Amino acid sequence: MSVRLLPASTPAAQGVDASGVHAFLDALDAAPDIEPHSLMIMRHGHLVASGWWAPYTEDRLHLLYSLSKSFTAAAAALAADAGLIDFDAPVISYFPEFEADITDPRSRAMLVRHVASMASGHETDTLYPALGLDHENLVRGFLLLPPDRDPGTVFAYNQPTTYTLGEIVRRVTGQSLTEYLRPRLLDPLGIGETAWISDRSGRELGFSGLHATTDAVARLGQLYVQGGVWEGERLLSEAWVAEATRAQISNAEIDMSGIEWQQGYGFQFWMSRHGYRGDGAFGQFCLVLPEHDAVIATTAATEQMQKYLNLVWDHLLPAFGPEPLTGREERDTALAERLARLALAPAAGKPAPPERAEAWSAAGFTPHGGACADQPTLTAVQVTGGRSLTLVDDGQPLEVPIGDDGWTVTEGPVPTAVSGGWSDADTLVVDVAFLETPHHLVVTCSLTDGTFTAGWSTQPLHRGPLRRMRAPRGSV
């Protein structure tokens, strides 16, 4: 997997006013409820601005959450172009072993295009009800749930629809989503390592769980803004790009996260007030702006996704001008320098208190109140030598260092960055950033009563022990 660099240019040469990017960065700095991790801006096929907020880095895989859906859709598109999938065929036709079980006429009338566009006829997400009906086979559980209305008539953000689409790809190709995408999309785009969370049966989730770099997100968006062509080679059909990126179903009546989620839904893309987007929880965005010939790729940790998009529209959108700009060399240079030194502020903390050095040299802590609500499998915390914190989670130890200042990065077995320290002689507060996800766990240890508390800054949607807070590259 050879990774080729994207063509680069100055903002001004591609008609982008660096002042608008500065204003966007200022707005992020002023938003305490948005933690940015990365930003890449493409214009006219060129990378004009990119930056990563330390401790996050350019080559770091990042959990994309539901932005994964847009990659699953690309796999389905490739299979359809190869004549392996018919979007107008009934879903049940790809699962003949369920013929006798699926008797509801609406379930039997559901087409591939309906699951591709979140228009299965169900009025709410069916993930947990479907798992309740069949914990081993999500597709069967999903098809056993009779739709509330006729397929194609109502939108519902429904995880099993995308899972089912991914399973159809697996059925007709005999390969996982990654295996099928690698030679047909990922390698031609120059996308390097990716990793995808699988369910208990070993099937990639499809609707979530893909870990990839921000660069991979930018390349996918650029492929779409170029109509499916990359370096002169057609990877996705022109017809697919047109259909996937227009509203297949209305969602104007849906009360979700804000107006941006009421603009219509395509084939695993959200329509936006400007362009369209792949969209993952906590601010993982692939914003495609055909009218500006631009792509904006981001990773972040925020529950204020509408606010984040508002900042993009308020500051970055006006920066896209129709012509190259002249006399902007100093502004472009200043922007590049700022982007190169982006960093998240570490948690505050003092060094280990000398007067309590012995007490902190080997201290053990149990959950305050007898249980840890946010991470129930976290049963004990140990501090060793005032330099190391061990989190005992699901019976397994995860050791992270306690740094003196700033972020201390540890690569394995779970990549983390740690900051913080002692707030007083008897209290240790440590912020553990799990670098391949959007999430931080803040752990507070009290010598006074020998207990700890632990809370997520943003609650992970994929629950499990801490050793799984990473890209799935094998056992930990």
Side-chain angles (χ1 to χ4, degrees):
M1 294 184 293
S2 59
V3 178
R4 303 180 298 279
L5 295 178
L6 290 167
S9 177
T10 63
Q14 305 305 323
V16 179
D17 187 345
S19 299
V21 185
H22 275 294
F24 178 66
L25 297 176
D26 290 341
L28 291 178
D29 288 343
D33 49 5
I34 297 176
E35 180 184 281
H37 293 169
S38 69
L39 170 69
M40 294 181 70
I41 302 174
M42 301 285 296
R43 186 86 197 281
H44 302 324
H46 292 79
L47 180 63
V48 297
S50 61
W52 285 258
W53 280 258
Y56 298 87
T57 56
E58 180 177 3
D59 58 352
R60 178 76 63 190
L61 298 186
H62 202 282
L63 174 58
L64 300 182
Y65 276 118
S66 285
L67 179 48
S68 310
K69 292 178 170 71
S70 299
F71 287 85
T72 299
L78 291 164
D81 288 345
L84 301 176
I85 293 178
D86 180 356
F87 268 61
D88 291 312
V91 171
I92 189 63
S93 68
Y94 293 93
F95 303 95
E97 71 273 29
F98 301 151
E99 274 282 350
D101 298 335
I102 311 305
T103 59
D104 181 82
R106 285 173 170 166
S107 293
R108 298 185 64 85
M110 191 188 306
L111 306 180
V112 175
R113 68 171 52 254
H114 296 144
V115 295
S117 58
M118 299 282 182
S120 64
H122 298 92
E123 294 179 338
T124 59
D125 181 56
T126 61
L127 178 59
Y128 294 110
L131 287 172
L133 290 175
D134 193 329
H135 200 65
E136 298 299 322
N137 193 310
L138 180 57
V139 173
R140 181 175 178 273
F142 168 62
L143 292 176
L144 283 171
L145 281 171
D148 306 287
R149 292 159 62 177
D150 290 341
T153 64
V154 61
F155 171 87
Y157 197 61
N158 194 355
Q159 310 297 353
T161 60
T162 313
Y163 183 91
T164 299
L165 184 66
E167 273 301 281
I168 292 172
V169 173
R170 191 183 69 85
R171 284 290 181 97
V172 301
T173 67
Q175 296 179 294
S176 71
L177 293 170
T178 299
E179 289 170 340
Y180 191 64
L181 284 170
R182 176 53 63 189
R184 296 166 180 83
L185 188 84
L186 303 181
D187 282 347
L189 288 181
I191 292 174
E193 181 189 10
T194 62
W196 214 318
I197 295 174
S198 299
D199 64 13
R200 58 193 299 168
S201 66
R203 300 172 181 131
E204 292 168 340
L205 292 182
F207 61 83
S208 186
L210 178 62
H211 294 70
T213 61
T214 316
D215 178 86
V217 175
R219 289 170 189 260
L220 180 71
Q222 190 61 36
L223 174 66
Y224 273 85
V225 88
Q226 292 172 179
V229 174
W230 188 266
E231 295 180 348
E233 178 185 0
R234 178 159 293 284
L235 303 183
L236 297 175
S237 71
E238 186 177 6
W240 165 263
V241 172
E243 286 296 294
T245 62
R246 71 172 181 87
Q248 296 288 330
I249 187 78
S250 172
N251 55 10
E253 304 303 318
I254 303 299
D255 183 16
M256 289 189 67
S257 303
I259 191 173
E260 222 65 56
W261 287 263
Q262 298 176 319
Q263 305 299 311
Y265 196 79
F267 288 144
Q268 307 297 300
F269 280 102
W270 293 89
M271 303 303 101
S272 285
R273 285 180 292 164
H274 305 279
Y276 54 90
R277 70 186 188 281
D279 181 317
F282 307 112
Q284 324 319 311
F285 287 128
C286 178
L287 308 177
V288 184
L289 306 171
E291 66 272 30
H292 296 286
D293 193 18
V295 175
I296 302 168
T298 73
T299 58
T302 182
E303 294 181 341
Q304 303 300 319
M305 293 171 65
Q306 181 66 68
K307 179 177 178 178
Y308 191 105
L309 290 172
N310 290 344
L311 297 181
V312 172
W313 307 148
D314 289 346
H315 301 293
L316 291 184
L317 209 61
F320 297 129
E323 302 291 341
L325 304 172
T326 59
R328 305 297 181 95
E329 291 80 5
E330 289 186 6
R331 296 184 190 183
D332 286 353
T333 299
L335 176 60
E337 291 173 349
R338 180 176 183 178
L339 290 167
R341 62 174 186 270
L342 294 174
L344 299 179
K350 302 174 184 177
E355 69 275 17
R356 301 288 273 154
E358 183 175 351
W360 283 105
S361 64
F365 304 88
T366 57
H368 181 75
C372 181
D374 266 12
Q375 187 66 24
T377 55
L378 184 57
T379 56
V381 173
Q382 300 163 358
V383 177
T384 306
R387 304 292 300 174
S388 176
L389 186 76
T390 300
L391 308 174
V392 181
D393 181 75
D394 195 37
Q396 300 291 321
L398 176 63
E399 184 176 349
V400 296
I402 303 172
D404 291 327
D405 190 25
W407 294 98
T408 301
V409 174
T410 301
E411 289 301 330
V414 181
T416 60
V418 179
S419 64
W422 281 261
S423 58
D424 59 52
D426 292 326
T427 308
L428 173 66
V429 183
V430 175
D431 181 343
V432 183
F434 291 85
L435 291 174
E436 293 180 341
T437 81
H439 306 296
H440 296 241
L441 187 68
V442 179
V443 180
T444 303
C445 300
S446 171
L447 268 183
T448 304
D449 57 10
T451 66
F452 75 88
T453 60
W456 291 104
S457 56
T458 50
Q459 183 74 49
L461 302 183
H462 298 294
R463 301 296 181 91
L466 296 177
R467 64 180 180 275
R468 294 182 188 169
M469 296 292 293
R470 63 190 283 274
R473 301 183 183 87
S475 60
V476 179

